[in-house]
Amino acid sequence: MALNKRHFPCEEEEGSTHHKKAKQVALEPPPSSSIVLNSADCDLDFNIECNGLVGYGLNEEGFGYCWSGARATVGITNGRYCFGCIVVSSQPVDTDDTSPDQRHLCRLGVSRGDDVVGALGETKHSFGFGGTGKFSNAGKFMNFGDKFGVGDTIVCCIDLESKPSATIGFSKNGKWLGTAFQFDVGSLGLGPDSSLSKDSPWEWALFPHVLLKNVVVQMQFSVEEGLVPHEGFKPWALAVADGNAITGPSFSDSKECELMMLVGLPASGKTTWAEKWVKDHPKKRYVLLGTNLILEQMKVPGLLRKNNYGERFDRLMDKASSMFNVILSRAANIPRNYIIDQTNVYKNARKCKLTPFVDYQKIAVVVFPKPEMLKRRSEKRFKEMGKKVPVDALNSMAANYVLPKSKDLPHSDECFDQVLFIELNRDASQKYLDQMKQDILSLSYNNQLTLSRGSSLSSS
């Protein structure tokens, strides 16, 4: 596939800064490779093109705030190997409230196969070198090497031969920057005495990993793809012939996939339940989907601090809602296990969201606590985050709340294969919901009566 000018703005304007910076970068489609970026192991807003070696995240609307990551298809458990990454071009974005040096970034490194693909360098089992000149592991950032950007080639070198210690180092444009970090492979499950389960070997291997923010990159795993290995390190592609390679995860059949949809009022405990469920079922590799999750991915400085839910938050929430629709449509074409973490109390909205997921096993998870518990959770969220849903919005949701039914129940017009109630059961949930609706009707009636009396008094 030829590289698209839409993805490479440096070609569009001969005199532009981007063109001058990236002019020397080869933009021909790279040769076919046995190692590519893994479309089954990347963020949903990550695009892979050109024989699997060119990658970039979406950049329209609020996606310009987001980091987007991907791992390669092959990891290693032993040996000394390296791979390269060319920062080909930057993408145009409208993120004026982000400082210029934070708008177009690349982070390169390795992570264990079961790690979070959107958090390179921010978890215990991932190691990343970023364009700001920082190396990070477990969320700790330290100065390392030089800054890099469009037109630069970074080579990442991993030494797993000197067990139990291992090292990761980098070069920039052929200049060795040094060893960035030394770590114990036993903690990754790669040590000779490790007792960690090997049911899924790819979970414990180290994979090439890129995390991008509004830049396009081209990967190099072999000499044929332009990789110039650092002395003492083999091209990553040779790990296959050496017997040190582990193949990463691949797509499942959508008929074997689950779509779990949370249903509940704000602050009912949906996100808490979902995060625990994901943690307790790592083999399922659930992907959480929701507008609040997208806001977290946007990582706008200071956005989610306490008492920061003003006009700026509302503007970004509008962007997040549009982004969610894009992500949901992409998810329907990528067979994985998903959890939709939104209120989903409107039946028509549920049906609309589920329509594209034809072959999936669809499960509704209803989180309905007692009213006093819901009140306590709402107060706790407000105390910790400053977030409070307006009363009118909450009443509207409650008034239109319909508990979901499985498709095998009489008179059901929904498509759920199963409906789970994780706090109150269906009967108790329906009882409290009916009471909430009655209270809302009574309140509305009293308000109308008060207005009517006030109008009569003023006219007299």
Side-chain angles (χ1 to χ4, degrees), residues 348-421:
N348 287 339
R350 292 198 295 261
K351 293 168 70 173
C352 182
K353 292 174 187 176
L354 294 175
T355 297
F357 297 87
V358 178
D359 296 326
Y360 282 66
Q361 176 79 5
K362 291 175 273 290
I363 303 168
V365 179
V366 183
V367 186
F368 205 115
K370 290 183 178 180
E372 56 267 28
M373 177 60 72
L374 179 63
K375 181 180 179 181
R376 284 201 294 269
R377 290 174 182 173
S378 297
E379 291 172 346
K380 182 174 183 289
R381 184 168 72 165
F382 179 71
K383 183 178 180 180
E384 292 177 352
M385 302 180 66
K387 184 176 182 180
K388 189 173 184 178
V389 178
V391 174
D392 289 346
L394 188 60
N395 286 344
S396 178
M397 280 188 270
N400 291 279
Y401 192 166
V402 178
L403 294 177
K405 292 182 178 181
S406 60
K407 62 185 181 184
D408 59 348
L409 288 179
H411 311 297
S412 174
D413 59 350
E414 297 199 69
C415 57
F416 292 110
D417 299 283
Q418 188 178 5
V419 178
L420 304 176
F421 286 79

Side-chain angles (χ1 to χ4, degrees), residues 127-338:
F127 311 87
F129 172 40
T132 57
K134 302 278 188 181
F135 176 84
S136 60
N137 166 248
K140 298 178 181 178
F141 291 77
M142 58 201 81
N143 293 327
F144 171 77
D146 302 323
K147 294 182 179 182
F148 65 88
V150 174
D152 291 324
T153 299
I154 304 299
V155 174
C156 175
C157 302
I158 305 296
D159 180 2
L160 296 181
E161 283 189 351
S162 305
K163 294 181 179 180
S165 294
T167 61
I168 179 171
F170 299 87
S171 70
K172 172 186 173 183
N173 301 330
K175 176 187 175 183
W176 180 242
L177 300 177
T179 296
F181 199 69
Q182 182 173 322
F183 56 95
D184 181 3
V185 296
S187 64
L188 298 175
L190 302 176
D193 299 322
S194 174
S195 60
L196 293 173
S197 170
K198 299 289 198 265
D199 291 340
S200 300
W202 58 264
E203 295 183 10
W204 315 105
L206 286 181
F207 289 80
H209 192 157
V210 290
L211 188 64
L212 310 177
K213 189 176 183 182
N214 307 316
V215 294
V216 181
V217 299
Q218 181 170 311
M219 305 302 293
Q220 301 172 322
F221 299 109
S222 68
V223 173
E224 291 74 18
E225 295 158 3
L227 175 65
V228 179
H230 181 65
E231 183 179 354
F233 291 85
K234 296 181 179 180
W236 202 271
L238 294 184
V240 178
D242 292 345
N244 292 326
I246 298 291
T247 302
S250 57
F251 283 126
S252 304
D253 187 328
S254 60
K255 294 180 180 180
E256 300 173 359
C257 294
E258 292 179 358
L259 176 65
M260 306 184 83
M261 175 176 279
L262 293 171
V263 181
L265 293 170
S268 58
K270 300 182 300 299
T271 299
T272 300
W273 181 89
E275 290 176 346
K276 184 177 186 304
W277 186 264
V278 171
K279 184 178 179 181
D280 291 345
H281 300 82
K283 304 291 184 185
K284 292 277 192 175
R285 299 180 66 230
Y286 285 104
V287 178
L288 284 171
L289 305 175
T291 45
N292 284 328
L293 297 164
I294 288 175
L295 279 174
E296 292 178 11
Q297 187 184 2
M298 290 165 78
K299 296 180 182 178
V300 179
L303 173 63
L304 294 180
R305 292 177 184 168
K306 183 179 176 182
N307 297 324
N308 197 27
Y309 287 82
E311 180 181 348
R312 183 171 182 239
F313 175 84
D314 293 338
R315 187 173 66 253
L316 289 169
M317 178 57 88
D318 287 341
K319 288 182 181 291
S321 297
S322 298
M323 293 163 64
F324 172 79
N325 292 332
V326 173
I327 291 295
L328 192 66
S329 65
R330 290 168 70 97
N333 297 310
I334 301 175
R336 299 183 188 173
N337 293 317
Y338 296 105

Side-chain angles (χ1 to χ4, degrees), residues 94-159:
D94 180 16
T95 54
D96 292 340
D97 50 357
T98 302
S99 60
D101 63 342
Q102 296 293 323
R103 295 177 191 172
H104 306 279
L105 294 170
C106 169
R107 193 180 297 168
L108 179 73
V110 295
S111 65
R112 207 170 73 172
D114 63 346
D115 212 55
V116 181
V117 76
L120 176 63
E122 299 173 32
T123 60
K124 179 181 178 182
H125 299 139
S126 67
F127 311 87
F129 172 40
T132 57
K134 302 278 188 181
F135 176 84
S136 60
N137 166 248
K140 298 178 181 178
F141 291 77
M142 58 201 81
N143 293 327
F144 171 77
D146 302 323
K147 294 182 179 182
F148 65 88
V150 174
D152 291 324
T153 299
I154 304 299
V155 174
C156 175
C157 302
I158 305 296
D159 180 2

